[in-house]
Amino acid sequence: MASNIESIDITQTDGNYYNIKINNITYPFVAIKKSDIKHPKYYGTNMETEIQITTTDLNLPLDTIVNVNEITHEKQNQIKEVLKTEDFKAFDIQLFSDTLNNHITVLEDGYFEVTIPLGTNYIGKNLVAYYIKNDNTLERHKVTMDAYGNATFETNHFSTYIIAEEEKTELVPVSNEQNPNTYDGITNDLLLAFFSITLFSGTYILSKKMRQL
C-alpha cells in the first residue's frame, strides 16, 4: 500500500497522508484534488412520511436527522381558525443533531429545500406552504409540484408547515351597457308628451282669443 501512495503525484493531493483503522488494520490514504467535485449537499429523509430535506449549507452537521411529529389537536384548531378551512395538510418538521445534542431550527446563511409527497391528485392545484407566526399572521412559501405529486418549497427555519390550496380572488366583470328601458321609463315619456301637447293647446287657444279682442 505504501508503494502505491509513494507513486502518487503529491501536487494532486492536499499534501497530507491519512491513516484509517478498520478491524485493527491500518490503511493509509491521501485525498486527491479534483476540479469537478461538486459542492457537498445534505440529504435527510424521514422514513415514515418520506419527507425529504436538502441543503448546501455546510454548517449543518451530517448526522442531522429529520423528525416529523404529530400535530396536536390544539394546533389543528388554530390552523382551522387562521386559514378558515379544514382542507389542508400540516407537518411539524424538526431537525435534530446528535453532535450538537440539540434541534436545528434555523439556517443563518442558507435555505432548506423541503419535499413532501402529497400524491398525484394534488397536481394542477394552486398550492402554497403556510407558516403561522406568533401573531397569527401567515408566512407564505411558493410550492412547486413535480409529475409524481411531490410538493417542494424553500425555507430557512423549521416549525409546523401547512400545505393548502391558496384562495383565488374572482373579479366580477362590470358591464358598460346601460340598463335597458323599462315600462316605467316609457310611462314617463308618455306623460311628458301629454303635458307638452296640453301646454301647446292652451297656448293656441289663448292666442286665438287675443286676436278676437
Side-chain angles (χ1 to χ4, degrees):
M1 181 67 70
S3 59
N4 291 334
I5 289 181
E6 291 171 356
S7 65
I8 294 175
D9 184 358
I10 195 172
T11 62
Q12 299 299 315
T13 72
D14 63 355
N16 297 310
Y17 291 91
Y18 302 91
N19 291 323
I20 184 171
K21 182 178 288 187
I22 301 176
N23 294 330
N24 292 324
I25 301 176
T26 300
Y27 299 93
F29 69 94
V30 294
I32 303 295
K33 296 179 180 179
K34 274 193 174 183
S35 59
D36 59 346
I37 293 179
K38 298 181 179 179
H39 293 291
K41 192 172 186 178
Y42 166 85
Y43 287 88
T45 303
N46 179 262
M47 301 305 294
E48 295 181 2
T49 62
E50 296 184 355
I51 292 177
Q52 178 177 283
I53 309 296
T54 62
T55 183
T56 56
D57 192 324
L58 299 181
N59 295 317
L60 189 70
L62 296 180
D63 68 342
T64 302
I65 60 174
V66 181
N67 292 324
V68 181
N69 302 314
E70 182 180 358
I71 306 299
T72 63
H73 181 71
E74 181 181 355
K75 190 69 174 181
Q76 289 274 359
N77 290 336
Q78 181 194 9
I79 295 171
K80 293 176 184 178
E81 183 178 350
V82 174
L83 294 186
K84 308 301 181 185
T85 182
E86 296 185 3
D87 187 13
F88 61 83
K89 286 185 174 294
F91 306 91
D92 181 21
I93 304 173
Q94 296 183 4
L95 299 182
F96 184 83
S97 169
D98 285 330
T99 301
L100 301 178
N101 192 28
N102 200 0
H103 288 92
I104 300 170
T105 57
V106 64
L107 288 180
E108 298 296 336
D109 300 319
Y111 285 90
F112 296 108
E113 187 177 81
V114 184
T115 300
I116 301 175
L118 294 180
T120 55
N121 55 318
Y122 284 88
I123 295 177
K125 293 186 177 182
N126 185 30
L127 299 178
V128 63
Y130 292 109
Y131 165 68
I132 301 178
K133 299 181 181 179
N134 292 333
D135 59 356
N136 277 349
T137 58
L138 294 175
E139 179 180 288
R140 290 171 169 82
H141 298 264
K142 181 181 178 181
V143 172
T144 58
M145 294 287 294
D146 63 16
Y148 303 98
N150 297 311
T152 301
F153 66 94
E154 287 188 345
T155 182
N156 68 340
H157 62 91
F158 276 111
S159 184
T160 299
Y161 282 91
I162 306 104
I163 306 294
E165 190 167 9
E166 190 169 25
E167 293 184 1
K168 297 179 181 179
T169 303
E170 295 184 0
L171 300 178
V172 179
V174 179
S175 176
N176 292 325
E177 297 181 1
Q178 297 180 350
N179 293 331
N181 293 329
T182 62
Y183 288 107
D184 291 338
I186 295 175
T187 302
N188 292 336
D189 291 341
L190 290 176
L191 289 175
L192 180 61
F194 172 76
F195 284 121
S196 298
I197 294 173
T198 303
L199 179 62
F200 174 77
S201 300
T203 303
Y204 173 75
I205 295 172
L206 178 61
S207 176
K208 183 178 180 181
K209 287 182 179 181
M210 289 181 64
R211 284 199 301 268
Q212 289 178 351
L213 295 176

